[in-house]
Amino acid sequence: MKTCSSVLEAIGNTPLIELARIGKDLPGKIFAKAEFMNPSGSMKDRIALKMIEDAEKEGKLKPGSIVLEETSGNTGIGLAMVCAIKGYRFVAVMSEGNSPERRQVLQAMGARVELVPQAEGGKPGQVTGEDLALVEERARELQKELGAFWVNQFHNPGNCAAHYETTAQEIWRQMDGKIDYFLDVVGTSGTFTGIATALKEKDPNIQCWAVEPATAPVLAGKPVTNPKHVLQGSSYAKIPDLWQPRVCDGYITVTDGEAIRAARRLATEEGLLCGYTSGGNVAAALRLAGWCDPGARIVTILCDGGMRYLSTDLFK
């Protein structure tokens, strides 16, 4: 292996791991893309690098620029890493409802963290669309105040492009093109839309399914009974701007309990310490693997690592 001139060259080319133990008695086979093995610990490293480099090419960033982003933590951490290498000051605007480990990592990497109180009745660990609206409002204020470049991952096409150009291509190669299903929890929709678009271009028969919280299946057009759930950084009970329903073949929901149990099984049976959203993806994959055709190959994403959730109830 050649040396890297910076940590940015280590982004991507993450392993794709068959979950052969927790899925051993099921008809389908589950494969998980270990995105928590990116340098800063999540799939968001890919979009952080892409969106910053796009902004540089477009002349939106110059030496000494301030970069600003609203984040649940992972995109912010990826951006803090990229900005540290490129010499930009970075300001992360996030809800107080996100796990404290994320803000601690951001601060350790030199970012300024602007914490926004949750909406009335908010619960730590459960960030809602209302909470996110307050974060966005504060981000707009700071952008004007600081004259910063706002990355704006919820609307930035580079978010989808990063996964279209890298993650999807890696999955296709690693699976030798033999994929029956792809499924993923939808947050900004950059990961789902980018990967699903690329995979369907290669094989239109691949089924791409969106994973949603059982209490907030808004993409499936069903009522939101409770916008509060444990899938941090995703499913804010609203349809994201980057969402493309044309590449979605179906919807599957998971409860908080299912996500937590799957995350714990990943740790104890597969040796993979991952977060809530990874647990949600695996819970959905397990259900799909139970009723799909024998031998069907299911690919999902392990979004981030469990070390960012040690203050929560995930592993207690």
Side-chain angles (χ1 to χ4, degrees), residues 115-127:
L115 285 179
V116 180
Q118 289 185 269
E120 188 176 351
K123 182 179 177 182
Q126 297 181 348
V127 178

Side-chain angles (χ1 to χ4, degrees), residues 70 100 107 113 125 136 146 182 184 206 219 248 271-272 277 310:
E70 58 174 302
Q107 290 167 334
V113 178
E136 184 170 341
L146 302 172
F182 166 71
D184 187 31
I206 296 173
L219 298 177
C248 182
L272 296 167
T277 306
L310 294 182

Side-chain angles (χ1 to χ4, degrees), residues 135-185:
V135 172
E136 184 170 341
E137 182 182 342
R138 182 58 180 143
R140 290 188 188 282
E141 292 172 356
L142 279 171
Q143 182 188 30
K144 293 175 184 175
E145 208 177 289
L146 302 172
F149 167 68
W150 186 4
V151 178
N152 207 353
Q153 62 178 312
F154 283 87
H155 300 89
N156 193 319
N159 186 345
C160 297
H163 292 293
Y164 177 93
E165 294 169 4
T166 67
T167 324
Q169 310 308 322
E170 291 169 25
I171 289 170
W172 181 259
R173 290 194 301 270
Q174 290 166 318
M175 294 295 293
D176 293 324
K178 297 172 184 175
I179 305 164
D180 297 292
Y181 295 92
F182 166 71
L183 56 82
D184 187 31
V185 168

Side-chain angles (χ1 to χ4, degrees), residues 7-14 34-53 71 73-83 86 105-106 109 153 158-159 162-163 166-167 191 303-304 308:
V7 70
L8 303 185
E9 291 183 11
I11 295 173
N13 294 307
T14 56
E35 286 296 280
F36 65 90
M37 294 183 73
N38 277 300
S40 88
S42 86
M43 63 186 181
K44 299 296 189 177
D45 287 3
R46 297 178 187 264
I47 72 169
L49 180 61
K50 173 68 175 171
M51 294 187 297
I52 290 297
E53 290 191 337
T71 175
N74 284 333
T75 301
I77 292 167
L79 285 166
M81 176 183 69
V82 174
C83 288
K86 291 179 173 286
V105 173
L106 280 162
M109 297 182 78
Q153 62 178 312
N159 186 345
H163 292 293
T166 67
T167 324
T191 311
C303 314
D304 66 3
R308 288 178 185 167

